[in-house]
Amino acid sequence: MPAQQKKIIFCVAGVLSFACALGTAAAVGTQLWVRGTVLCKTGALLVNATGQELDKFIGEIQYGLFYGERVRQCGLGGRPLQFSFFPDLLKVIPASIHVSVVLFCTVLIVFALVGAGFFMFNAFGSPYETLHGPVGLYLWSFIACSCGCLIMILFSSEVKVHHLSEKIANFREGSFTFKTHSEGFASSFWTILVCSLVHFLNALLIRVAGFDFPFSKPKDSGTVTGAVDLMY
């Protein structure tokens, strides 16, 4: 492939990596990871609410990695409540998983920036070490993509397996019990998915530029050369 086309491909990949770093950083700082509704089970049972009457006992909840907000509905109108994970909720949530998600988000941002820098270096400079060349680009893209996948897996398990929304809704609730009515992942969670796909796309762009994947077997040209020499 001509050098000019390689420069364009590396520039595109570098811009995409930098955009992913900014997108991940923005996603980490928001509370738009999960949105859902919670049912005040105790209040609904007290009045034997059914059908449309349940709407008076269904509140809203949304949260991210650091803080969130829920609207408490127990039949007397909504009451918004702010909460934070650090340090308030660490005793009731799976803290090890939650901290791991935050750490992997940090690693994803760092390696997305590193990948963006090396993509630009390969586009406008002359790589002089292995990790500055194609092998390094594959490595940075693979690490960033793997971190994105781990973030989604760990956070999904925290929400679905460990019932994170219910634990948040029942935090410091003495006489009332809340149950998750509905929940779904919001825009910040899907931003991580898009970033993971972008880093996978970057690895394909490196291959399109004409570089083999790491650990691929080189062509055995020695045997052919030896056979040609024997003919003469």
Side-chain angles (χ1 to χ4, degrees):
M1 180 177 289
Q4 189 66 27
Q5 293 183 17
K6 289 183 180 181
K7 287 185 177 181
I8 294 174
I9 290 176
F10 285 144
C11 286
V12 171
V15 171
L16 290 176
S17 293
F18 185 73
C20 285
L22 293 181
T24 303
V28 169
T30 67
Q31 60 180 17
L32 300 178
W33 284 69
V34 174
R35 281 180 174 174
T37 57
V38 289
L39 172 66
C40 181
K41 186 177 179 181
T42 304
L45 290 175
L46 285 175
V47 299
N48 196 20
T50 57
Q52 295 182 351
E53 296 176 348
L54 286 175
D55 294 340
K56 297 181 180 180
F57 299 92
I58 296 177
E60 298 178 353
I61 186 172
Q62 66 175 16
Y63 54 89
L65 299 181
F66 294 98
Y67 63 97
E69 181 181 7
R70 71 185 181 96
V71 178
R72 188 175 182 273
Q73 286 271 18
C74 289
L76 299 176
R79 182 162 63 94
L81 300 171
Q82 300 282 343
F83 60 87
S84 61
F85 285 92
F86 302 98
D88 299 339
L89 293 169
L90 286 181
K91 294 182 180 180
V92 297
I93 66 172
S96 59
I97 297 178
H98 197 80
V99 172
S100 297
V101 172
V102 176
L103 290 178
F104 279 121
C105 284
T106 304
V107 174
L108 174 57
I109 295 171
V110 171
F111 278 95
L113 291 174
V114 170
F118 282 131
F119 272 117
M120 291 301 179
F121 182 82
N122 278 270
F124 299 104
S126 299
Y128 56 87
E129 291 182 4
T130 302
L131 294 183
H132 287 182
V135 176
L137 298 181
Y138 281 121
L139 178 63
W140 314 134
S141 300
F142 173 76
I143 293 176
C145 182
S146 300
C147 287
C149 294
L150 287 173
I151 290 168
M152 291 185 293
I153 293 172
L154 291 175
F155 189 74
S156 299
S157 66
E158 187 180 7
V159 174
K160 299 298 183 180
V161 178
H162 295 276
H163 307 289
L164 183 61
S165 299
E166 284 189 9
K167 291 181 178 179
I168 294 174
N170 289 287
F171 178 63
R172 291 180 180 173
E173 292 289 345
S175 57
F176 288 92
T177 302
F178 291 84
K179 184 179 180 181
T180 303
H181 186 261
S182 65
E183 65 181 357
F185 297 109
S187 56
S188 293
F189 178 84
W190 299 119
T191 298
I192 303 299
L193 173 61
V194 172
C195 289
S196 300
L197 294 177
V198 166
H199 290 298
F200 180 76
L201 175 63
N202 282 347
L204 295 181
L205 288 178
I206 302 170
R207 183 66 185 90
V208 170
F211 297 108
D212 293 330
F213 290 111
F215 311 113
S216 60
K217 294 182 179 179
K219 295 181 179 179
D220 190 5
S221 58
T223 305
V224 178
T225 305
V228 173
D229 292 339
L230 288 175
M231 293 178 63
Y232 294 95

